Amino acid sequence: MEKNKIRNFCVVAHIDHGKSTLADRFLEITDTVPRQKMSEQYLDRMELERERGITIKAQAVRMHYSPGEQGEHRLNLIDTPGHVDFSYEVSRSLAACEGAVLLVDASQGVEAQTVGNAYLAVEAGLTVIPVVNKIDLPSADYEESAMEVADLLGIDPSEVLSVSAKTGEGVEQLLEEVIRRIPPPVGEDSLPLRALVFDSTYDLYRGVVAFVRVKEGVVRKGMKVRFMATMTAADIDEVGYFSPDMISCDSLAAGEVGYIITGIKDVVRIQVGDTVTARDAPAAGPLPGYQEPKPMVFAGIYPVDSDDFTSLNDALERLKLNDAALTYAKETSKALGFGFRCGFLGLLHMEIVQERLEREYGLDLVITAPNVVYEVEEQGGGVVYVRNPSDMPDMGTLREVREPYVLATILVPPDHMGAMLELVKERRGIYQDMTYLSGRRVEIRCRLPLAEMVVDFYDQLKSRSRGYASLDYEHAGFSAGNLVKLDILINGEPVDAFSSIVERGSAYDYGRRITQRLRELIPRQLFDVPVQAAIGGRIVARETIKAKRKDVLAKCYGGDVTRKKKLLQKQKEGKKRMKMVGKVEIPQEAFISALRMTREESGR
Amino acid sequence: MRLYIHLPFCLSRCAYCDFNSRVAGFRVRRDYVLALLRELDTWACILGEKERLLESIYIGGGTPSLMSGGDISGLLGEVTARFRVHGGTEVTVEVNPATWNREDFAIACAGGVNRISIGVQALRDRDLKLLGRAHDAREAKDAVTHAMGSDAASVSVDLLYGLPGMSADVLRECLNEVLEMGPHHLSLYALTLEERTPLYDAVAGGEIALPGEDEVAEEFLAGAGLLHERGFEHYEISNFCLPGHHSRHNLACWTREEYLGIGAGAHSFLGSLRFRNTASVLAYKSMVGAGLLPVSDCELLAGQEEVSEEIMLGLRTDRGVRDDILGAGDAYLEDLEDEGLLVREGGRVRLTDRGMLVSNALITDLLPA
């Protein structure tokens, strides 16, 4: 097909603004998916995505559309994730396109991620088509929403389109505008091959399936290629495109979007953002923009049953393949045994990984409280990064401990501005400035320690603004903080899984709450068990689990030796499933509740 | 050999009891005793001359004293017609205060009974009512007085602690009242909530609140302390006696001697075999009637099982167990000794009063892995 008949575009939006529903209408109108096979939100393939109503994995689908005299066009729709945790994936998807549809909910107007995504698209040099969605809703305010989005992009409100992805109204006009406004791809077929890997998935039998956008040259079946960042050599077993199922073809030329299969099964060798080139006629350099994703939030993931360690290892390897941002490294906990310290882009990312491990791989997991990564400057001037609070060196020996900050943008109606500023202050945030957007909404910008956002900042934001506030953030480097390491000691033994780094001012309160909750959760033992919170060597809170006083089988006569013996043996068997901290036995369930509780408590 | 005879009938069901017992008419009870005699016949044929010499007989229930003193004497006569006793054979019968008068005690003793165990349970009428007992405090004391006045060599009283509204003081007061009557033996049981009993339902429904763990522990320690002062030995978790007045029959169970149990639901331990008769009175009668042994379950003990039993039973008593069979290291035993839960002496380990109160957890820890 001629290149001027091809359009590569994506849809970007704030979460829940109807992106997936719009994609469904596209598939229907272009007959890509027959109506009878259409299940709602076809592109969100993972069960989990359906349930949570959010798109996690970018997908790419080729559609054909022939509006009037313009003739048949090939439209490649690259779906993108809508959550702030996944902005790296969004940026990779954007790099595969020439244009973006910026979707705004007519009843909500511009939200924080609308702003974030719009900037990303503009920075990537894309043509942006602003569209107001959900015009069928009674609460829709097209005029106001169009005004906001026009303000944002610095265009005339008349350029803003309106659709109802739900009813299909305006969707055909939108497709025509995609063809009219978005430029066709450029790039010569005759140049050496350069194709961007913007996503990947894993097939049990065929290995890694890499989603590519060919920028220059042609990729063909049988070609000998190299992945430039990882220096991986491979032969192309299959080339194809999605419609939306995988359909193989002979080649993909410059400007086209599709997939390649090389038979490589080692998932770390094919990274999102990498460039594919030909081995016999290699390109001079890779495409710009590849970066190692930098996880900022870490947590320990352990199998409940230590026999599942290998399965967990395999599962993480698989997940890593189409989740470029996930990192993991083996670690050992005295309390939890063998597991992994995993890195995530944010909390939602962590929850999704946890759920996928549990649901898709059937694993039973214990997850520690999440923490951020700390940049530690030692006396000698050396800098190390600490990903697990229990690895934090003695704070007295350090020159400085720095924690990651984010630049947060909160969009909220002016009524709730006070509540938002208060929340920011509680969370050690530094207010920077604010802008009124069309009188209906205020944009507040502030710097916040990421650690304060890690736990329930978003929930608080939502509840204190009665659901009206929206949030976007970007990482803003490391800054020194007045931080201390808080250890929890059970019967005098530090329990690594409960260690945390907290702000000095809140350390005492936090320690007191954790020790109180642990006292309630841990069953009474045969001896008094002190539960302490300590900063350095200093105890800041102490509770005592009093020794068990009465636990007796009052009667045991000739009658019932067998039954009582079975009972005791069952109890003995049950002890094997307990976690031992020194000589203190903690039932698995209590340990998990305690960890869950520290997750809820930390940062509060 | 030791013989246990089970009589699974009561005047009425108590609110806390889940034992194998039922309320039944006279005819059912009479037929049951006939079945007992047939089972005795069978065993008399199986066992050899030496095994038929009985060291103790224990008639328990249920409420054996639903039979009159005369009927108990008759039953003992049938037993000695098939087995043999000697001058030192201990013969115990359990008596409910609502059943026997002075004559019953006298006749039973004349028929061979020399140890009487009385189910007093409590000495406050409100407690007895709550427990659903068929007698009041007056009748309970009368029964003890009558037993003391009989020819029985040992009299034992059963009491419960950990009752709703009880305290260490109330228990001590109750014990003092009992001790005034001079019994030789006391069984002090923690009230245990069993599922499918009226008391369980009442507690679950929030009508009755049981005292907390610490309060109950205080009660027991107060009671045990008082009994120590009065010269009683704490020889098993729930049992106290004046010197020489141990229940020899029960002690034999805890030291893993052999015993034969007859009657519905009775348990036996012969050789390496533990077995149990069917609990159903009807099934029992029909099996025995057909000339069969009415056994429903049995367990053949293998090596490790014997050690487990030695530990779980031995640690119940003041004799304790040899420390080399315990499934716990020296360091842990030392910790427990430091906590005052056990005592190590001459290569043996035994639990203290406080240790006995948490014996369930301790024994679990000390069983072999």
Side-chain angles (χ1 to χ4, degrees), chain A residues 142-154:
Chain A
Y142 167 72
E143 301 290 319
E144 187 72 29
S145 301
M147 190 82 78
E148 281 185 357
V149 71
D151 265 5
L152 177 69
L153 295 171

Side-chain angles (χ1 to χ4, degrees), chain A residues 48 182 452 463 499 539:
Chain A
L48 192 58
I182 295 175
E452 297 286 344
S463 77
S499 291
I539 304 296

Side-chain angles (χ1 to χ4, degrees), chain A residues 524 526-528 546-569 571-573 575-576 583 585, chain B residues 189-190 213-214 216-218 221 237-239 250 253-254 259 267 274 299 301 305 309 312 316 335 339 341 356-361 364-365 367:
Chain A
R524 296 168 81 168
L526 284 168
F527 37 84
D528 285 354
K546 300 299 283 179
K548 189 183 269 206
R549 297 293 307 279
K550 175 184 163 273
D551 179 8
V552 62
L553 297 169
K555 292 194 181 190
C556 179
Y557 296 105
D560 233 351
V561 176
T562 300
R563 201 178 68 138
K564 299 254 158 44
K565 185 173 59 189
K566 298 276 177 260
L567 191 72
L568 288 162
Q569 283 165 345
Q571 284 169 196
K572 183 88 184 173
E573 205 50 43
K575 278 173 173 279
K576 290 186 187 159
K583 57 177 180 169
E585 288 160 343
Chain B
Y189 298 117
E213 182 178 332
D214 294 294
V216 177
E218 289 307 324
L221 293 176
I237 289 175
S238 306
N239 288 285
N250 287 332
C253 296
W254 299 317
Y259 51 87
H267 297 250
R274 288 194 181 277
E299 184 198 10
L301 302 182
E305 294 281 311
E309 286 192 356
M312 70 169 265
R316 294 188 70 90
D335 281 350
E339 291 293 329
L341 298 175
M356 285 190 180
L357 258 178
V358 290
S359 52
N360 187 30
T364 306
D365 273 357
L367 282 180

Side-chain angles (χ1 to χ4, degrees), chain A residues 79 116 132 181 197 200 231 259 279 292 299-300 302 332 361 365 386 418 430 509 596:
Chain A
D79 203 9
V132 172
R181 295 195 202 175
V197 178
S200 63
M231 301 292 284
Y259 68 86
R279 290 215 297 278
E292 289 272 349
Y302 291 82
T332 315
Y361 297 93
L365 303 172
V386 173
I430 302 152
D509 266 359
R596 187 170 300 136

Side-chain angles (χ1 to χ4, degrees), chain A residues 342-357:
Chain A
C342 298
F344 311 95
L345 298 172
L347 258 220
L348 179 74
H349 187 205
M350 175 175 119
E351 280 169 25
I352 287 168
V353 168
Q354 177 186 357
E355 282 197 46
R356 290 189 67 186
L357 287 171

Side-chain angles (χ1 to χ4, degrees), chain B residues 90-154:
Chain B
E90 178 191 84
V91 183
T92 305
V93 62
E94 289 179 347
V95 175
N96 181 310
T99 53
W100 279 10
N101 59 28
R102 194 189 302 270
E103 284 70 45
D104 286 302
F105 285 102
I107 296 169
C109 291
V113 170
N114 54 26
R115 186 172 181 274
I116 294 170
S117 171
I118 303 182
V120 170
Q121 315 307 0
L123 278 183
R124 294 196 303 183
D125 284 340
R126 47 173 280 203
D127 293 337
L128 291 167
K129 201 165 163 208
L130 181 114
L131 295 169
R133 299 288 294 175
H135 58 86
D136 60 19
R138 184 71 256 153
E139 289 171 292
K141 284 190 180 177
D142 285 350
V144 178
T145 309
H146 294 152
M148 290 303 297
S150 74
D151 291 337
S154 272

